[in-house]
Amino acid sequence: QSALTQPRSVSGSPGQSVTISCTGTSSDVGAFNYVSWYQQHPGKAPKLMIYNVTERPSGVPARFSGSKSGNTASLTISGLQAEDEADYYCCSFTGRLYVFGTATEVTVL
Amino acid sequence: QLVESGEGLVQPGGSLRLSCAASGFTFSSYWMSWIRQAPGKGLEWVANIEKDGNEKNYVDSVRGRFTISRDNAKNSLYLQMNRLRAEDTAIYYCAKYDFSHFDSWGQGALVTVSS
């Protein structure tokens, strides 16, 4: 199972919006609405930000949103804030197993 | 809360057992997973185990070498790692699995495989 493809990095100024793509195949992202997104700050454990493509856990700011079209899922951060600077990973169910994305570094300029 | 233990340095071909102590939720009601992260690399799902421990799934690279298990009476998850290789060097996280996503993670346990 190959890792899902994410851009290596994205950046934006405070208040701007950034979108991270996550491209898989018809066997993972395209097959199930079980895409989740995780935020990881340096030296810390990952934190769940979005699940089931669009659902946001309690406590996660509303500026984080998710979507999916075909084999590509996306995470959008609207109104970028300094504390959003981190690595982000997508993850998809593949039937029995799970596959993570290649990670995207978000930089707040 | 999830707290891993058992981290350490082991020689190639050796074995190590990780433990994860769970608290704050009904451990026996959830699937659990191990996810690892090699130094400077991305996340890789390793294995998961069904609530009663009857169903287990593994990534191809560890199948036959690693064994995931749990003790619901002790609220604990385990990962027995045998025939370790250099490429198994990573931080190993235990994670609570809520149907389709990993909603709680431990702080991680560092496993280093080196001679």
Side-chain angles (χ1 to χ4, degrees):
Chain A
Q1 185 72 46
S2 298
L4 307 175
T5 301
Q6 297 179 229
R8 184 178 296 270
S9 65
V10 299
S11 62
S13 300
Q16 288 187 328
S17 293
V18 295
T19 296
I20 303 168
S21 61
C22 170
T23 301
T25 70
S26 57
S27 297
D28 40 61
V29 174
F32 307 96
N33 286 324
Y34 295 148
V35 175
S36 50
W37 289 89
Y38 302 85
Q39 176 192 67
Q40 187 179 34
H41 287 109
K44 301 294 187 181
K47 174 188 175 183
L48 177 68
M49 304 303 284
I50 294 288
Y51 66 98
N52 293 355
V53 179
T54 61
E55 300 297 314
R56 197 173 54 251
S58 61
V60 172
R63 63 180 182 274
F64 289 88
S65 63
S67 62
K68 191 185 87 166
S69 177
N71 297 336
T72 299
S74 298
L75 173 72
T76 298
I77 309 174
S78 305
L80 200 60
Q81 298 188 9
E83 60 263 35
D84 300 333
E85 186 161 291
D87 289 334
Y88 290 82
Y89 295 87
C90 61
C91 180
S92 176
F93 182 58
T94 69
R96 291 179 70 86
L97 314 178
Y98 299 84
V99 61
F100 282 92
T102 50
T104 299
E105 180 182 24
V106 171
T107 301
V108 181
L109 302 172
Chain B
Q1 185 181 12
L2 298 168
V3 180
E4 299 94 340
S5 60
E7 63 184 14
L9 171 66
V10 61
Q11 292 188 339
S15 298
L16 198 66
R17 188 196 197 203
L18 298 180
S19 299
C20 173
S23 61
F25 64 98
T26 306
F27 182 72
S28 59
S29 296
Y30 293 91
W31 286 65
M32 295 293 295
S33 286
W34 287 99
I35 296 162
R36 68 183 178 183
Q37 186 170 34
K41 301 297 184 181
L43 299 171
E44 180 183 37
W45 176 83
V46 174
N48 67 4
I49 185 168
E50 183 259 347
K51 292 179 285 187
D52 292 334
N54 294 321
E55 182 176 346
K56 306 172 186 180
N57 299 293
Y58 301 91
V59 69
D60 287 348
S61 59
V62 309
R63 189 176 294 115
R65 300 188 299 122
F66 289 12
T67 301
I68 188 172
S69 62
R70 65 191 297 163
D71 185 335
N72 288 342
K74 295 183 178 179
N75 290 338
S76 293
L77 176 72
Y78 306 101
L79 185 67
Q80 177 66 43
M81 302 181 290
N82 298 330
R83 291 184 280 146
L84 282 160
R85 306 167 180 167
E87 54 264 35
D88 295 319
T89 294
I91 296 173
Y92 285 74
Y93 296 100
C94 77
K96 172 175 162 281
Y97 176 70
D98 191 3
F99 182 64
S100 64
H101 51 279
F102 309 101
D103 64 350
S104 183
W105 299 60
Q107 85 288 352
L110 177 61
V111 173
T112 303
V113 183
S114 175
S115 55

